Amino acid sequence: MGKAGRFACIFTPMALTIASLTCLIIVGLGGTNKNNSSYNNLYFFRANTTDINIDPSDLNIPHNPLTDAIINQTTDTAKKALDIKDFYHVSLWNYCAGDFDNGNDKVTYCSPRKNQFWFNPVEVWGLNNTGVDKLFSKELRSGLDAYKQAAKWMFIAYVVAVIATIVEIFVGIFALFSRLGSFATTIVSTVSSLFLIAFALTATILYSTLMGTFNNAVKKYNIHGSLGHNMFVVVWLAVAFSFGAGLFWLVSSCCCSGRSNRIKYGHESGRKGKYERVDSPYGHRDGASHFQSGPGFQAPHHGVPLNNVGNKATAYEPYRTANV
């Protein structure tokens, strides 16, 4: 197998690695542009507040302009006073909010992107210092604290996975020339896959748990949480591509050496030929195929008598390669 075969062997894991990186980039694009519907459909968690129902009689809060508006006006007006949108999408870097327009999502705002972002409904909905946040169950408050810590680890795992995948692509170029390069790429691919799996598992478990806790805590307010299926499909596709790339990198480090065996069938260093008999230095041809030898026989151009080597049918017959 020559260089062409080596290239074919490296092409598959390289393509899978690039596909994995593409998926990771798509994950990072979620929620980055409110005017792009494709980006807006990429989110981990969605809070639907369309049918929110706030009963003022349940609110035991101090008087201030905001709380007076909540108490004295209808639920719909209170929702406007709190500037609560119809839905909230939580992505990797930020959140986006918007309203329903004829049954379609219309994103009107995306928060600034932030490293280690986590969604805090109390802050986003402007419930700080109103006493409303105290209505949330202790379970939800504890869940939000755990979510905050886990979101930081999830973000770090994502960044490491992206960097390792980029390094994997560059190191993979050297795999084209040797199996040692493939082995080095396999190591980098393993690191990339481990952090990518950690990111995917953390995101899946984190937001699934958050959804359950969130729904139980705010069910009486008709607020519903759900997962973003598109985002999780892309995340786990990245895992699958990365895992497949790692397997093929490992195979390429054991096989596909890229060397050509040119010694077979008389081929060596690009020379083609066949074997033919050459004359013995101890005798000369007599006729078509008989050799003369014996006591006192003088080899051509040598004035030295030779010992008797016999007339055995198995006499020494050297060969040489002639070009054809």
Side-chain angles (χ1 to χ4, degrees), residues 193-215:
S193 296
L194 287 176
F195 277 93
L196 184 49
I197 292 173
F199 165 68
L201 284 176
T202 303
T204 303
I205 297 173
L206 172 64
Y207 284 104
S208 296
T209 304
L210 179 65
M211 180 186 68
T213 304
F214 186 84
N215 285 335

Side-chain angles (χ1 to χ4, degrees), residues 299-322:
H301 309 297
H302 298 277
V304 180
L306 300 177
N307 294 328
N308 185 1
V309 296
N311 293 316
K312 298 180 180 178
T314 58
Y316 176 76
E317 296 181 354
Y319 286 79
R320 69 182 177 188
T321 301

